[in-house]
Amino acid sequence: MRATPRQFHVGRPLPLSIVERERRRVLSTEDHQPEPEAVARHRPLFRAIHRRRNPALRRCDITVTDEAAVKRAVKATALGNAMEWFDFGVYSYLAVTIGKVFFSGAGDTMQVIASLATFAAAFLVRPLGGMFFGPLGDRVGRKKILALTMIMMAAATLSIGLIPSYGTIGLWAPALLILCRMVQGFSTGGEYGGAATFIAEYAPDKRRGFWGSFLEFGTLIGYTVAASMVTVLTVVLSDDAMQQWGWRIPFLVAGPLGLVGLYLRLKLDESPAFKKLEEAGAPGAEREKTPLKQILFGNGRAMLLCLALVAAFNICDYMLLSYMPTYLSTLGFNETGGLMAIVAVMIVLMALINSVGRLSDRVGRRPVLIGGSLGFIVLAVPSFLLIKQGSMAAVFAGLLALGLALVCYMGTMSSALPALFPTEARYGSLSVGFNISVSLFGGTTPLVVQGLIGATGNDLMPAFYTMLAAAIGLVAAIAMKETARKPLEGSPPSVATDEEAAELVAAQRG
């Protein structure tokens, strides 16, 4: 049966089959450019298609953020991130002591390697945590999952401080340590992706880089407090007291910190972008879970860029902030002096990171990321040569040079990564991609680099490994689209004031 023709005001009626064929052909791909002849023949049709694809922006479509609410969201998520990296920092800075406590049956070298292997073990389950918590956060909301991950992280860290030593319970000690590290890793799998998503969805488009930088500001606070606490304990306590009970103190502090972070997160409202998503469709509990295959391959280019950027960022991050105390000790450098130098560098980075985030809002994410990658490629070998000189001034100068390159990553990643994915799959996609990359490259960095030094006898291997990671980051930064000052994919524009919203609507009409 033939379809009834519809009248289009172009001089004569067109059969529906022709109209439908043109419509489907135009809508079949986002980047399709119609032929000029087709546009000339069916101009009203193409205008209708354009309006459908780019509907007129109304004032009610624009999200006007409340700065007080943005600050509360940033505070709660940054504190949680600070606690996460406090836990990881404490473990990495106490790696030698933990090796003696939990692997005392092995030799000195094997104790360090076993301790670093346990550190890396937590990263094996991070992708599983991302696969579990990420899609769940896209269904039930960001806030609930971030509260749950906070509870799990605090409980696991507190438990590490309560585990008896190898001399007391034998093999149960390292077994329980590994179990607690697994719980830490599983909960962390849902932490960073959710925190970055939460801040990105709260922040106005023009200031997403600035507000997002506070997430990594929390990272630096966590590392700095961890390093400072370990340094004070190392100075105040004897080696015997440190090994007997002193190492437990930083882990026991995690309990109260976790309760504070949980309180702040439970007081938050859900992110504006997620609220808009719920208003547009079914409630979260009724939305279907996104299959893992769709998460991994549904946004294939974005996922590949995420994996590459996260690999570069985390290899460089763990190299400087986690592995460096161990590296300095292998060079015979005073452990306390090494920690003090790292703390000083992190204080400098904290002073700079928000300015870097603000800079990425002005000039774009890509230029800042490219600058950081080039910085690592150019400065890695000279920096490690300086560190090998052994004096406090040379060590600080080498660490600072690496830190200045790292802050370009730290100030930008928290706003660049969430913008790669659409709102309905952002938490899940970012959590899975981030944690797969961290598991493969970031958490294994101390173990891999230590193994490379042992295999080759070349103590510049950390520099070469850093340069390789930065080269990967450089390629990814060049390939990514610029997202600064633009709405998140799948979300309406987000602005700071009603006046800015009115300007957007007026500019569109003009």
Side-chain angles (χ1 to χ4, degrees):
M1 181 176 178
R2 296 176 60 85
T4 304
R6 294 176 60 186
Q7 185 76 23
F8 284 81
H9 299 288
V10 292
R12 59 194 178 103
L14 290 173
L16 181 60
S17 58
I18 297 177
V19 173
E20 185 64 17
R21 185 168 65 250
E22 291 285 355
R23 186 186 69 83
R24 291 181 181 179
R25 188 162 64 87
V26 173
L27 294 177
S28 61
T29 172
E30 183 177 316
D31 298 325
H32 177 79
Q33 295 296 324
E35 297 175 0
E37 296 81 2
V39 175
R41 285 198 310 268
H42 312 306
R43 199 172 301 278
L45 169 64
F46 281 95
R47 279 202 297 265
I49 290 171
H50 179 77
R51 285 195 300 269
R52 177 175 173 180
R53 185 182 293 167
N54 303 282
L57 191 65
R58 299 168 299 173
R59 171 60 187 82
C60 60
D61 295 327
I62 301 172
T63 300
V64 179
T65 60
D66 175 17
E67 185 164 344
V70 174
K71 288 180 178 179
R72 286 196 301 271
V74 168
K75 185 189 303 182
T77 48
L79 178 61
N81 207 50
M83 180 187 160
E84 173 190 341
W85 296 110
F86 169 81
D87 299 339
F88 278 77
V90 163
Y91 189 100
S92 61
Y93 298 142
L94 289 171
V96 175
T97 302
I98 289 173
K100 294 176 181 178
V101 172
F102 290 97
F103 304 98
S104 56
D108 291 345
T109 302
M110 286 306 300
Q111 286 176 4
V112 175
I113 291 176
S115 179
L116 292 177
T118 304
F119 179 80
F123 291 84
L124 297 177
V125 296
R126 282 187 65 158
L128 299 179
M131 293 173 193
F132 177 78
F133 290 117
L136 199 58
D138 284 326
R139 291 172 61 205
V140 304
R142 288 58 163 126
K143 169 186 169 181
K144 296 175 184 177
I145 303 304
L146 286 173
L148 178 58
T149 58
M150 173 68 76
I151 294 171
M152 293 178 65
M153 173 62 78
T157 306
L158 178 65
S159 298
I160 289 177
L162 299 174
I163 300 173
S165 67
Y166 180 89
T168 304
I169 60 174
L171 291 175
W172 280 106
L176 289 172
L177 175 65
I178 291 171
L179 176 63
C180 289
R181 289 288 298 153
M182 292 290 190
V183 174
Q184 280 185 323
F186 189 78
S187 63
T188 304
E191 173 65 30
Y192 184 90
T197 294
F198 202 69
I199 292 181
E201 292 180 349
Y202 251 105
D205 297 331
K206 291 184 179 180
R207 302 193 73 197
R208 191 175 299 119
F210 171 71
W211 290 116
S213 67
F214 280 94
L215 188 60
E216 293 299 338
F217 184 84
T219 297
L220 290 171
I221 288 178
Y223 271 128
T224 302
V225 173
S228 301
M229 187 174 291
V230 171
T231 301
V232 170
L233 290 171
T234 303
V235 171
V236 172
L237 300 177
S238 65
D239 290 343
D240 185 61
M242 191 68 180
Q243 188 172 328
Q244 291 297 321
W245 55 270
W247 68 272
R248 299 181 184 275
I249 294 175
F251 290 98
L252 298 178
V253 169
L257 283 178
L259 291 176
V260 173
L262 179 63
Y263 170 76
L264 290 175
R265 287 190 173 182
L266 288 176
K267 289 188 67 177
L268 292 174
D269 291 328
E270 192 51 83
S271 75
F274 187 80
K275 286 182 179 179
K276 292 273 188 182
L277 186 64
E278 285 195 311
E279 291 169 2
E286 297 178 10
R287 283 196 294 272
E288 293 184 5
K289 182 178 179 180
T290 306
L292 179 60
K293 182 178 179 181
Q294 179 65 22
I295 288 175
L296 288 172
F297 304 109
N299 297 284
R301 186 176 185 277
M303 182 60 70
L304 188 60
L305 288 172
C306 177
L307 293 171
L309 289 169
V310 173
F313 172 35
N314 278 271
I315 287 174
C316 298
D317 184 50
Y318 281 89
M319 185 74 72
L320 178 60
L321 302 184
S322 293
Y323 173 68
M324 198 53 67
T326 303
Y327 178 71
L328 291 172
S329 67
T330 62
L331 296 178
F333 194 75
N334 178 269
E335 184 177 348
T336 302
L339 284 173
M340 290 175 63
I342 291 171
V343 169
V345 169
M346 287 192 289
I347 291 173
V348 174
L349 299 189
M350 279 192 282
L352 296 175
I353 190 168
N354 297 136
S355 296
V356 173
R358 191 181 286 111
L359 178 67
S360 78
D361 283 329
R362 255 196 330 264
V363 305
R365 319 288 185 230
R366 294 175 71 248
V368 179
L369 291 173
I370 290 171
S373 300
L374 292 174
F376 275 117
I377 292 171
V378 173
L379 297 174
V381 170
S383 297
F384 276 91
L385 288 174
L386 272 173
I387 291 169
K388 286 180 61 181
Q389 296 300 310
S391 69
M392 179 61 98
V395 169
F396 176 76
L399 294 177
L400 181 60
L402 294 172
L404 293 177
L406 179 63
V407 78
C408 294
Y409 282 172
M410 299 189 81
T412 310
M413 284 292 179
S414 299
S415 52
L417 295 175
L420 293 173
F421 303 103
T423 300
E424 65 272 12
R426 181 170 297 122
Y427 196 155
S429 299
L430 180 53
S431 293
V432 171
F434 185 90
N435 288 292
I436 287 176
S437 193
V438 170
S439 177
L440 292 175
F441 305 108
T444 58
T445 295
L447 186 62
V448 169
V449 172
Q450 190 70 18
L452 288 173
I453 293 175
T456 64
N458 187 345
D459 49 20
L460 280 178
M461 289 307 297
F464 301 142
Y465 197 58
T466 301
M467 291 171 68
L468 176 61
I472 294 171
L474 177 62
V475 173
I478 292 172
M480 69 180 284
K481 295 179 181 179
E482 185 55 72
T483 58
R485 304 172 69 86
K486 297 178 182 178
L488 293 168
E489 184 180 347
S491 294
S494 178
V495 298
T497 64
D498 288 312
E499 291 76 12
E500 193 176 346
E503 288 175 6
L504 273 179
V505 175
Q508 178 186 245
R509 289 172 180 169

